[in-house]
């Protein structure tokens, strides 16, 4: 536990204990703001929350020293409230910018139209903004299982080390995740950073940036666009339906789905990773990876480049250009994934090192269809799919697995 000293007396608790050093540091800053206001003439009003706060004279600022589990409404000049340990209070913010709400927890707090700092300590806190017209706030909580709802304003949220729920509606928000959190993004441009938890994130209609930590997270991009960095962990990442996603796998095992068109997917680390193209034009790259990865062109017009590992690359139902990279690679084609319009160009096939896997097709028929043009070999499969091997004059049955 970290104790934060509260100067001022007159009903203020002498200190507040926090179970998270980061929260304690932010609380120290907030208490410093409150102390400065008191030194500048703000009056301290002691209250148990059982009655409305007294009306302050015009121009007078007030700090509430809360001692009971009542409801405290910070209006008419009240710019801060300090709530001691184990006092389950409810606070409604006001219109003053720079309002400081500091609680040892558990806390229920709704900010007002002004910009507020809200710090909830021990216990399960419920923190949020007005449905609309709210200020730009900072929310911080401790080790409990907290719920934070940012319905309006541009907010900075640190959810704490518990299993938290963070809901975002509008505005451009920043979320720091320290626990195992569920985060639902909204219509703004939201940024989320994870330390070590296994988070579940649902994107909204805005543009989302997600930075994973060392955990295994699940991120679904929503109807907007997503930029996802897999960190030292891994998980399952899916780009947004609006496309133009940039999706980078983590250092651990990661599965990545491309989402809308114009997206770029990267394998990373020692993997193994699975990269699945979405719709439209997609680029799948294993260039920064040393793992044995699997790539699926699916229904996209895909450009696929493997890494230094032994990769498996599946053709899809549209035109694709693929290169296996430095490893011993398998180029796979299946009747349930290809179509008559499939034309795949394999740029770096090495006879004796790389292989072709035909699933549902006849190898004999494929070899019988061989055509040479410009030093490139083209095979036509039974359904009309065409495979062109750049710089390969011939293939035999030994190149198929």
């Amino acid at each position: 536990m970290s104790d934060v000293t509260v100067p001022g007396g007159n009903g203020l608790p002498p200190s507040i204990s926090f179970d998270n050093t980061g929260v304690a540091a932010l609380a120290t800053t907030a208490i410093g703001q409150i102390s400065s206001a008191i030194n500048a003439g703000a009056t301290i009003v002691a209250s148990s929350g059982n009655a409305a706060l007294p009306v302050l004279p015009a121009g007078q600022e007030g700090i509430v020293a809360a001692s009971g589990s009542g409801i405290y409404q910070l209006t008419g000049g009240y710019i801060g409230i300090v709530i001691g340990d184990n006092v389950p209070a409810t606070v409604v913010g006001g219109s003053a910018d720079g309002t400081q709400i500091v609680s040892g927890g558990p806390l229920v707090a709704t900010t007002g139209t002004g910009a507020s700092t809200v710090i909830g300590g021990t216990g399960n806190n419920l923190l949020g903004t007005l449905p609309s017209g709210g200020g730009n706030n900072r929310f911080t909580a401790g080790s409990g299982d907290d719920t934070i709802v940012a319905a309006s304003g541009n907010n900075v949220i640190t959810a704490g080390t518990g299993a938290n729920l963070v809901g975002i509606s509008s505005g451009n928000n920043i979320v720091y995740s320290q626990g195992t959190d569920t985060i639902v993004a909204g219509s703004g441009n939201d940024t989320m950073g994870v330390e070590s938890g296994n988070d579940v994130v649902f994107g909204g209609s805005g543009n989302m940036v997600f930075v994973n930590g060392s955990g295994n997270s699940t991120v679904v991009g929503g109807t907007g666009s997503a930029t996802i960095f897999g960190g030292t962990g891994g998980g399952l990442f899916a780009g947004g339906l609006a496309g133009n996603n940039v999706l980078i796998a983590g250092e651990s095992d990661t599965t990545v789905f491309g989402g809308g068109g114009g997206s770029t997917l990267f394998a990373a680390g020692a993997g193994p990773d699975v990269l699945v193209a979405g719709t439209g034009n997609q680029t799948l790259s294993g260039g920064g990876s040393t793992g044995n990865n699997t790539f699926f062109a699916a229904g996209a017009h895909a450009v696929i480049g493997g890494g230094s590992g032994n990769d498996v690359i599946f053709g899809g139902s549209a035109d694709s250009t693929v290169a296996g990279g430095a490893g011993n690679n398998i180029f796979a084609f299946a009747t349930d994934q290809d179509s008559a319009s499939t034309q795949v160009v394999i740029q770096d096939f090495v006879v004796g090192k790389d292989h072709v896997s035909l699933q549902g097709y006849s190898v004999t028929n494929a070899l019988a269809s061989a055509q040479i043009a410009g030093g490139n070999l083209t095979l036509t499969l039974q359904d009309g799919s065409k495979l062109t091997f750049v710089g390969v004059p011939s293939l035999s049955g030994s190149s198929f697995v």
Side-chain angles (χ1 to χ4, degrees):
M1 301 292 287
S2 299
D3 291 339
V4 175
T5 300
V6 182
N10 296 325
L12 291 171
S15 66
I16 303 175
S17 297
F18 294 93
D19 54 13
N20 181 301
T21 56
V23 178
L26 292 172
T28 299
T29 300
I31 292 296
Q33 296 289 327
I34 289 174
S35 296
S36 296
I38 294 171
N39 293 334
T43 186
I44 300 174
V45 177
S47 174
S48 63
N50 294 322
L53 296 172
V55 176
L56 297 173
Q60 176 66 50
E61 293 183 332
I63 303 295
V64 180
S67 60
S69 56
I71 299 176
Y72 302 86
Q73 188 160 1
L74 305 182
T75 58
Y78 287 98
I79 60 169
I81 182 170
V82 180
I83 308 164
D85 296 331
N86 302 311
V87 179
T90 298
V91 178
V92 180
S95 60
D97 286 333
T99 297
Q100 307 291 323
I101 301 172
V102 183
S103 169
L107 173 66
V108 176
T110 302
T111 57
T113 56
S116 301
T117 296
V118 182
I119 299 174
T122 304
N124 302 327
N125 301 288
L126 175 59
L127 314 176
T129 70
L130 292 171
S132 62
N136 302 324
N137 308 290
R138 177 156 193 169
F139 296 97
T140 303
S143 62
D145 298 335
D146 305 305
T147 299
I148 302 176
V149 180
S152 61
N154 303 319
N155 305 285
V156 178
I157 300 168
T158 304
T161 56
N164 308 294
L165 172 63
V166 178
I168 300 169
S169 179
S170 62
N172 303 321
N173 302 279
I174 299 173
V175 180
Y176 299 101
S177 174
Q178 299 174 312
T180 299
D181 299 335
T182 298
I183 305 171
V184 182
S187 60
N189 299 321
D190 298 320
T191 300
M192 299 127 186
V194 179
E195 288 188 4
S196 60
N198 302 325
D199 281 17
V200 177
V201 177
F202 300 96
S205 59
N207 297 322
M208 177 180 68
V209 176
F210 176 85
V211 182
N212 195 38
S214 59
N216 292 315
S217 296
T218 299
V219 184
V220 180
T223 58
S225 297
T227 299
I228 299 175
F229 300 92
T232 58
L236 186 152
F237 306 141
L241 298 180
N244 299 315
N245 304 291
V246 178
L247 311 171
I248 303 173
E251 298 293 322
S252 299
D253 299 359
T254 310
T255 298
V256 183
F257 294 91
S263 298
T264 304
L265 290 64
F266 296 93
D273 298 326
V274 177
L275 274 60
V276 183
T279 60
N281 299 320
Q282 304 262 320
T283 300
L284 282 62
S285 174
S289 169
T290 59
N292 302 326
N293 304 305
T294 303
F295 302 85
F296 291 88
H301 299 281
V303 175
I304 301 176
S308 60
N310 301 324
D311 300 320
V312 179
I313 300 176
F314 283 86
S317 59
D319 298 344
S320 298
T321 300
V322 303
N328 301 323
N329 306 297
I330 296 176
F331 300 89
F333 305 91
T335 54
D336 61 349
Q337 296 184 39
D338 301 340
S339 71
S341 62
T342 297
Q343 297 189 41
V344 178
V345 177
I346 303 171
Q347 294 183 322
D348 65 345
F349 190 89
V350 178
V351 176
K353 182 171 76 74
D354 299 325
H355 292 85
V356 180
S357 173
L358 298 182
Q359 301 173 18
Y361 297 110
S362 166
V363 173
T364 300
N365 291 345
L367 290 173
S369 73
Q371 300 286 327
I372 298 290
N376 303 324
L377 174 70
T378 297
L379 304 181
T380 302
L381 306 181
Q382 292 101 300
D383 60 2
S385 301
K386 294 183 182 298
L387 316 179
T388 297
F389 298 80
V390 175
V392 177
S394 65
L395 289 175
S396 66
S398 62
S399 290
F400 292 80
V401 292

